[in-house]
Amino acid sequence: MDIKNMKNYLYWLFCQFELITCSYLMEPWEKVLFYTFNITMLLMVLYTAYIYVPIHISTAFQFCLHILGNQHENAVSIVK
């Protein structure tokens, strides 16, 4: 895909976004507020997923290992 087609495709996607959200009817200052809010929410969701999803996956994996009987030894019990 060359640059011109990519540019046209991205423009088409942006037009679809404006049609779906009806933001093409907004005034410029309203668009700024709307896009700022949407970008902020997207960044917060991505940050939260980056921080918490690995923790939850690790906890679920440890729980499954515990259920299956393959318990991970605690460092304190090894020292005793």
Side-chain angles (χ1 to χ4, degrees):
M1 189 175 237
D2 60 3
I3 300 297
K4 187 173 182 176
N5 285 340
M6 180 65 81
K7 183 179 173 184
N8 288 338
Y9 180 68
L10 291 175
Y11 179 74
W12 178 81
L13 283 177
F14 180 71
C15 288
Q16 292 296 313
F17 171 74
E18 283 195 329
L19 285 172
I20 291 169
T21 60
C22 295
S23 60
Y24 67 94
L25 298 173
M26 296 178 184
E27 294 182 17
W29 68 271
E30 292 173 322
K31 281 186 178 185
V32 168
L33 288 176
F34 180 71
Y35 293 149
T36 303
F37 177 77
N38 285 338
I39 290 172
T40 303
M41 288 296 120
L42 177 67
L43 290 175
M44 286 180 12
V45 166
L46 291 175
Y47 175 75
T48 303
Y50 175 75
I51 295 297
Y52 290 110
V53 168
I55 294 169
H56 289 296
I57 290 174
S58 174
T59 304
F61 182 68
Q62 292 298 323
F63 179 73
C64 289
L65 286 179
H66 179 72
I67 294 296
L68 296 175
N70 191 4
Q71 296 179 1
H72 199 322
E73 293 245 357
N74 194 352
V76 176
S77 66
I78 293 173
V79 173
K80 290 182 180 179

